Amino acid sequence: EGWSFRGVRFIATLSGIFIISILIGAISSGIDEQIDELKKGKSKVLESNHTLILGYSEKIFSIISELVIANENQKNPSIVILSNKEKTEVEDEIRSKVEDTKNTRIIVRHGSPLESSDIAVVSPNEARSIIILANEGENADTYTIKSVLALTNGKRRKKEPYHIVAEIKDVKNMEAAELVGNGETVFVLSSDLISRVTAQTCRQSGLSIVYSELLQFDGDEIYFHGEKKLAGKTFKDALFDYETSSVIGIFTTDEKVLLNPPMDTVINDGDEVIAISEDDDTVVLSGKTSFGIDESAINSGSAKETRQERTLILGWNARGIRIIEELDNYVALGSEVLVLNDHISEELEGLAAELKNQKLILQVGNINHKATLVGLKPEEYDHIILLSNTEIDVQESDAKTLITLLHLRNISEQTGKDFSIVSEMLDIRNRELAEVAKADDFIVSDNLVSLMLSQMSENKNLEKVYGILFEADGSEIYLKPAVNYIKPGVEVNFYTVVESAARKNEVAIGYRLLAHERDSDKNYGIKINPNKADTVTFGPDDVVIVLAED
């Protein structure tokens, strides 16, 4: 009672409020600091069985999109990214460029992919696979090799081998990369891959679409599958034992890949078949013993044409040399390749003496000038390759490519002749713009590399399959006239097509109907891995897609 007591209580209350305010402020500041630290992406990742991506480039968006599709049938899948870019910046870019991550969680951390201490934060020992991206600056391979070394020689590394897939840009650095890879790393030589695929696809309209479909998880891709019931059977038997999958080879117990082996090759116990299928759980034996093969519809002719070819290359970049060298493995003696660019490099001038089958002609000019293109008479060339300028901005380069492509399509309409064009696009988002120009074949550089990195992160043995498919030696994918296999106008099931191809020691994996060659909704007429019981009627200009040696 009394004012003295009230005064003491009043002062105590004010002091309590002051002390509590300080306490709340301290707690709030501590929480804010912890949130800021989390935003910086420095905290330890507690994930396991995740896909780890080290580094950052434009390829990362395609890789994430593919892995998201591959993870759809997984429980609680996750992708962890470690890069030098700020965590929030990376997260914002992924949200803007990857439409839907579905059931896959994306976890981003900030740090150097070159430092073992930073890599330890993203739990590499618990990752099921690790993808290392080459950066977009100079000496990119040096950084990739250092990242691989930080993993394979790290003090905290696990005893079991890592599953690492890394990108190398220059073939000169491959030997050093293999040394630090320690047998745990599969390297993708990106420039060489693009060059090989470009050389192959420029000669066969539609082949790039076939490759893209096989490399994407959204559709039919390549799987390895063990089946005890196949032991003792021949490779040809296996072709017919699967109705919804296309067997293309054998993976032996000593880890050798045999693509399109002799039809009488015996499958041993423990061997796996290599098959094109919709998913890994759709490679299932049909149990059929009767296949409805129409013998009367089978054609036996398969004369191989050997003629001189003329190739026109518009534009230039570092991959051009490798493309011309790879083309030289396929074309007949006396063929010709003409290169048009605004300047001619010394390296290109020295290439002419090294070619065995082609004559190299060099011409200076602007590929965006229609008059220059008309003067070349592109209608007289068998194949046209349109290369991107990698020395300027990506969007500017693609804009120049699109302008040239539009000029070529306009010349095609004026001359009344369809051109066989392979266009290189640096940004996959510009592909839709190019499709307006009625071009159905594209090599999207970064996208193809991204697709291959994604596929091999799921199964490193695919590197051996791709190594054979993209080499000039061995079996490759060809689009051959359907009349070589089946009489035109006769309705047959695909079992009949497989039988006809097998008699030529080839594996039929699909077909292309030329009636739909301009229809993007029907995949430009291309059907990969059709149900073998389904029927098809081929016209005189349709083609069968086969795996063959030539």
Side-chain angles (χ1 to χ4, degrees), residues 45-60:
V45 170
L46 303 178
E47 300 297 309
S48 62
N49 199 37
H50 55 284
T51 300
L52 174 59
I53 301 177
L54 301 180
Y56 192 87
S57 71
E58 285 295 318
K59 300 179 186 69
I60 200 168

Side-chain angles (χ1 to χ4, degrees), residues 89-104:
E89 184 181 352
V90 173
E91 290 173 335
D92 289 342
E93 288 192 3
I94 291 173
R95 276 194 292 267
S96 65
K97 295 182 180 180
V98 180
E99 294 182 1
D100 185 8
T101 58
K102 299 180 181 179
N103 64 327
T104 299

Side-chain angles (χ1 to χ4, degrees), residues 288-295 492-496:
K288 284 188 173 183
T289 56
S290 178
F291 309 110
I293 295 173
D294 185 355
E295 290 285 346
V492 295
N493 62 18
F494 199 70
Y495 278 116
T496 305

Side-chain angles (χ1 to χ4, degrees), residues 140-158:
D141 290 347
T142 304
Y143 294 99
T144 298
I145 292 171
K146 178 65 166 59
S147 294
V148 173
L149 192 61
L151 283 165
T152 56
N153 283 7
K155 294 181 180 179
R156 303 175 186 174
R157 65 152 299 156
K158 61 182 181 180

Side-chain angles (χ1 to χ4, degrees), residues 20 25 29 43 120 137 145 165 207 314 372 384:
I20 291 173
S29 177
S43 60
I145 292 171
V165 183
L207 184 57
L314 302 174
T372 302
I384 301 175

Side-chain angles (χ1 to χ4, degrees), residues 263-366:
M263 290 294 158
D264 58 358
T265 302
V266 176
I267 300 174
N268 298 314
D269 189 28
D271 290 349
E272 298 179 74
V273 292
I274 305 170
I276 300 171
S277 192
E278 187 176 354
D279 211 336
D280 54 356
D281 56 3
T282 59
V283 188
V284 181
L285 294 173
S286 67
K288 284 188 173 183
T289 56
S290 178
F291 309 110
I293 295 173
D294 185 355
E295 290 285 346
S296 64
I298 294 178
N299 261 346
S300 58
S302 59
K304 180 183 176 182
E305 287 188 30
T306 55
R307 63 182 185 84
Q308 297 173 348
E309 301 176 30
R310 301 186 70 204
T311 304
L312 173 63
I313 298 179
L314 302 174
W316 192 252
N317 59 41
R319 285 184 286 272
I321 295 286
R322 189 70 184 89
I323 291 172
I324 295 175
E325 290 175 341
E326 193 69 17
L327 271 173
D328 204 48
N329 294 323
Y330 293 97
V331 298
L333 182 65
S335 296
E336 174 185 302
V337 57
L338 185 149
V339 178
L340 173 71
N341 194 37
D342 53 11
H343 67 279
I344 302 299
S345 66
E346 294 181 4
E347 186 180 21
L348 186 56
E349 291 176 344
L351 179 63
E354 300 177 11
L355 301 178
K356 298 178 181 179
N357 297 321
Q358 300 177 105
K359 175 184 177 183
L360 179 61
I361 302 173
L362 307 176
Q363 184 170 327
V364 176
N366 190 332

